[in-house]
Amino acid sequence: MSVSSLREYLDLLDTTGWLRSFDQPVSWDLEASAATMLANIRDGPIPVFESIAGLETESKLVGDPYRGPQTRPWDHFARALGLSGGLSGRTYYDRVIDRLNAPQAPRTVASQEAPCKETVRTGNEVDLLSFPWPYIHEGDGGRYSNLHTIVAPDPDTEWGTWSSHRMMIHDSSQASLLLLAGEQVPNRYYYDYEPRGEPMPVAVVIGAEPTVECTADMWIPTGRSEAAFAGGLKSEPVDLVQCETNDLYVPATAELVLEGHVRPDDRLDEGPFGDYFGYMNGPRRSMPVFEVDAITHRHEPRIPFCVEGSGVGYGQNSTSTLRLVAAGPDATVGLRAAGFDVAMAVPWRFTSRTVWVIATDRPYPGYLHELANFIFTTWGMLHIDFFVFVDAAVDPLDPRAVLTAIALEADPDADFHQFGVERMPKVPLNIYQTPDEKGNADVGTSKAKTAKAYIDATTDGDAAEMAATTETRKRAQERLVEAGLNAARFDRLDEREGQSQ
């Protein structure tokens, strides 16, 4: 059975030895994030900070709760979905894909049945500064919430649209949202609400259940409901409840919900921030203002956060894990639906928004170029810079196998392909464009375009022979399981040997 709240998920981690509570006071000012980053680096338990120094609050901070084990990042999420432990990466992907292909519509509950309504604050009771928002990286422009789900209106779906955009706290009732044009929610604001001079209702959901958190980061087609896919993932409907001050519906078991609106033609400073590209992203720029109208929360709310960035933080964290365990299977489903015979689409676990690995057969000449062009002009357009294509028999979850394929199969002259210069758009969070190239501060777009590229690390062998090899490996794993041996142990052994070399 799947877990239905962040608290149930934390309890699950606790029973498996992957949670550690700290009773001594810890500061929200860099200290909580420093302890979290060390836990990430050392592959340690998820830290829960029970007491916040210098602040009278019942809230608790949770550092990178969705970060999975370094060698098997999908393990925690598999258990959260009610799947058996010790699944291989391919088996995990297969199970999740089956669930994504069977979405379930959400169900609504009354306010008195929703844990997120245990406390309701409106009017003068609204106070963002009563919560311990962390100052995550030295050099950040302010204190941030960066592990949450944003719910916004969508005329094509009954339940609105979900997404994830970092939020910088300014005062007791205002924050700035990083809304970058080109994505669904920012486009709704910049090109629909703001031209009409209307505020856009928004709810920021903090500490949602795992399936909600991950679907906010998926590429759900326009007109489809993230809530339904979250229900598919957990094999039962997600409970939603209506907001107090607008018509939006939010996950009922969330720890904390900020209800409000994004004001038209109004901006506040946002950034810099140590983001996932691994450096302190800037410069400080103006972003839309989120005005908070109401706050609802559970008793003693748990506030999760992520220490982003392979350079300013550590590359394996909540963000990278959620992309691996959810966005990867989702992308695999999308590519198959588009007619491509893809075995797995997997984000590179260390830089999960810029590099992906695609395991696929190559049925005819030019197939990989067609596949790359499809991705770069659809869901991979803004963030992803290049892909590595490997044979369907290669495990794209195994870094050693991927690097071996590049080293042995990719011809530096013939197999490194570029999609021209200044042809594709890029979000202004990258490290290689200058501030001038990153462009228009009004809508957060990038006026300069970048090249995209892919590496063909597939073999030139016979397709039937490669398919037979894949089938042989699958049968070998099945025999291990039938013999009472956990095939996952061999996966871990292979990875550890690769790390020691």
Side-chain angles (χ1 to χ4, degrees), residues 400-444:
R400 183 176 67 174
V402 174
L403 289 174
T404 298
I406 294 173
L408 298 182
E409 306 294 347
D411 182 341
D413 181 52
D415 292 330
F416 286 68
H417 303 270
Q418 189 176 44
F419 275 78
V421 178
E422 297 185 356
R423 180 178 172 185
M424 301 286 184
K426 180 72 176 178
V427 293
L429 301 178
N430 62 79
I431 196 170
Y432 48 75
Q433 286 184 314
T434 66
D436 286 341
E437 289 174 327
K438 292 179 182 181
N440 193 331
D442 290 334
V443 296

Side-chain angles (χ1 to χ4, degrees), residues 1-4 66 74 76-83 92-106 162 209-220 225-238 321-331 333:
M1 184 174 180
S2 299
V3 301
S4 294
Y66 295 114
W74 57 88
H76 296 339
F77 201 75
R79 291 186 172 90
L81 294 180
L83 301 174
Y92 169 81
Y93 261 54
D94 289 342
R95 301 284 171 80
V96 171
I97 287 170
D98 287 342
R99 294 191 180 192
L100 288 173
N101 284 322
Q104 295 196 27
W162 297 354
E209 59 184 281
T211 59
V212 169
E213 198 68 52
C214 69
T215 47
D217 208 32
M218 290 181 180
W219 292 285
I220 304 298
S225 168
E226 287 88 357
F229 284 94
L233 279 175
K234 63 185 294 190
S235 294
E236 62 180 295
V238 171
T321 299
L322 288 171
R323 297 193 72 76
L324 187 85
V325 304
D330 172 56
V333 170

Side-chain angles (χ1 to χ4, degrees), residues 185-337:
V185 170
N187 284 353
R188 183 76 57 198
Y189 170 74
Y190 289 125
Y191 305 124
D192 189 359
Y193 282 86
E194 191 168 50
R196 300 198 307 259
E198 296 179 10
M200 183 174 76
V202 162
V204 179
V205 179
I206 299 159
E209 59 184 281
T211 59
V212 169
E213 198 68 52
C214 69
T215 47
D217 208 32
M218 290 181 180
W219 292 285
I220 304 298
T222 301
R224 304 293 297 276
S225 168
E226 287 88 357
F229 284 94
L233 279 175
K234 63 185 294 190
S235 294
E236 62 180 295
V238 171
D239 287 341
L240 301 180
V241 65
Q242 189 173 356
C243 287
E244 298 290 311
T245 58
N246 58 48
D247 294 332
L248 297 172
Y249 283 81
V250 295
T253 63
E255 294 290 322
L256 176 67
V257 178
L258 308 179
E259 302 178 13
H261 57 276
V262 183
R263 299 198 298 250
D265 303 311
D266 197 3
R267 303 290 189 267
L268 283 172
D269 286 348
E270 199 281 330
F273 182 72
D275 219 316
Y276 56 82
F277 277 92
Y279 78 111
M280 189 59 60
N281 167 252
R284 196 171 181 87
R285 57 170 53 197
S286 295
M287 281 289 152
V289 179
F290 175 52
E291 179 76 27
V292 179
D293 301 318
I295 299 175
T296 72
H297 62 84
R298 302 183 66 158
H299 300 318
E300 300 184 352
R302 278 70 166 165
I303 299 177
F305 67 93
C306 175
V307 183
E308 288 280 17
S310 57
V312 291
Y314 183 69
Q316 290 186 253
N317 49 39
S318 290
T319 297
S320 65
T321 299
L322 288 171
R323 297 193 72 76
L324 187 85
V325 304
D330 172 56
T332 304
V333 170
L335 291 175
R336 291 177 182 175

Side-chain angles (χ1 to χ4, degrees), residues 338-349:
F340 295 100
D341 187 19
V342 168
M344 296 174 72
V346 176
W348 188 248
R349 68 178 66 172

